[in-house]
Amino acid sequence: MNITWALLMMTLGSVGIQQDQHSANVTAALQAAAKNPAIIAQNSTNPSQNTTGGGIIAPSATPVPQTGGLSSAPLADPQPDAPKVKGIYVTAYSAGGARMEQLLNLTDSTELNSMVIDIKDDAGYITYKTDNPELQQMGEPKPFIGDINKLMERLKQHQVYPIARIVVFKDTVLAKKHPELSFVNPDGTIWKNKGGDSFVNPYNENVWKYNVDIAKEAVKLGFKEIQFDYVRFPEGFEKRAETLKYTKSDKTRIDIIADFVKYAKSELNPLGVRVSVDIFGYAASVPAAEGIGQDFVKISKNVDVISPMVYPSHYTTGWFSVKDPDKDPYATIKGSMVDTHKKLDPLGSYKPVIRPWIQDFTASWLGSGHYVKYGKQQVEDQIRALKDQNVEEFLLWNANNRYTADVNYGK
């Protein structure tokens, strides 16, 4: 079907009151992708003067080491003995609270072997107590996880492969503390989206370093992989790119996002950890989303693991020849993986591990007749579709960390 029409239909199908963080801004982001104009920063030999909206905000005072071109040889897997990950999302509240016992019982009694735990959450809070003065100055620690060392020891005892989730450019905390790192309205206020969230500027290398420094501390704590989320510009950014004040270079948004990912990998792989990135599932099926700066192939080429969010509820009529994708999780996941392989197979030795996020929640906002209650069959259908497309790893998303009982995760 026509790509633009598909994206618009997908947008309409995503409207609702879903509470999970991955879905919070999907509607607006898909609208941005549907528009998909090629807005490219004007060439400038002085990035500090290449600023939209007529204002100038000082560029990063601490330059990030350049990582070179994309023609360098792929780095060796820093976790060659890592398990085939079958994991669940765990909020900091759950990780530091009573629910952790239930979640550990789940991994103990099933084929699940990994947890993706919020270390820097969707608001921008560092979710544990850190003694690092630079991180304290830049961000704001909130000890939702009361004893991070105790948590890591617990995960080790239960043989859980620990993955640290770090939300990167969606960061209201950092934007409020350091407006010069964010996007500023013409009246001098910090820009917010409709949900009241602010983003920080991917062009600013201090933002890169801050997030990678959090990742490095997570490595010291014992995490085996760093998963970056919200590796993009705000949804619909192309509509406001010329009115907001922020520093930028002559690079496109797509290139600057890819450069951040490559920088993070170059800094973290030598420490023995993998780097993974979450990305919209539709990105495998459409051209690059220039508005938000995401190119599926360029990002994938520079990570160890790519995690497309292929929730069936996020596709609508016509995708993969399915009338109601949420009601046919097998066909939807199969179609998304066919497209994913088509995009990534040409990367050859650069091709990362494909580890999708799949759905373990009910998308009731789609309306009567367009969704089903998700349970054992629906989760197993998604896993079976992945396996049939030679994808052996997956992550389950449920915002409340309430996962379906009695699922055969080995199907």
Side-chain angles (χ1 to χ4, degrees), residues 310 312 322 324-335 372 374 377-379 381-382 385:
V310 293
V322 179
D324 289 302
D326 188 74
K327 295 168 66 176
D328 196 341
Y330 178 87
T332 305
I333 296 296
K334 178 182 177 181
V372 293
Y374 266 55
Q377 178 182 335
Q378 288 73 29
V379 173
D381 283 350
Q382 293 175 87

Side-chain angles (χ1 to χ4, degrees), residues 10 22-23 26 278-285 296 306-315 320 325-326 328-340 354-361 374 382-383 385-386 391 393-395 397:
M10 193 171 164
H22 278 278
S23 303
V26 166
D278 297 336
I279 192 168
F280 286 125
Y282 76 84
S285 304
F296 192 81
I306 192 72
S307 289
M309 299 174 281
V310 293
Y311 316 120
S313 60
H314 286 19
Y315 297 88
F320 314 121
D326 188 74
D328 196 341
Y330 178 87
T332 305
I333 296 296
K334 178 182 177 181
S336 70
M337 289 301 99
V338 168
D339 285 353
T340 296
I354 299 170
R355 186 195 300 151
W357 281 101
I358 60 175
Q359 180 172 331
D360 194 358
F361 58 85
Y374 266 55
Q382 293 175 87
I383 295 170
L386 292 175
V391 176
E393 303 192 21
F394 59 84
L395 300 169
W397 181 270

Side-chain angles (χ1 to χ4, degrees), residues 15-68:
V15 176
I17 55 173
Q18 165 71 342
Q19 295 299 312
D20 69 82
Q21 299 295 341
H22 278 278
S23 303
N25 296 316
V26 166
T27 299
L30 292 181
Q31 288 173 336
K35 299 292 185 182
N36 199 23
I39 301 175
I40 300 175
Q42 295 179 352
N43 291 333
S44 172
T45 57
N46 186 349
S48 67
Q49 295 180 356
N50 191 3
T51 307
T52 59
I56 296 178
I57 299 176
S60 166
T62 306
V64 174
Q66 297 300 306
T67 56

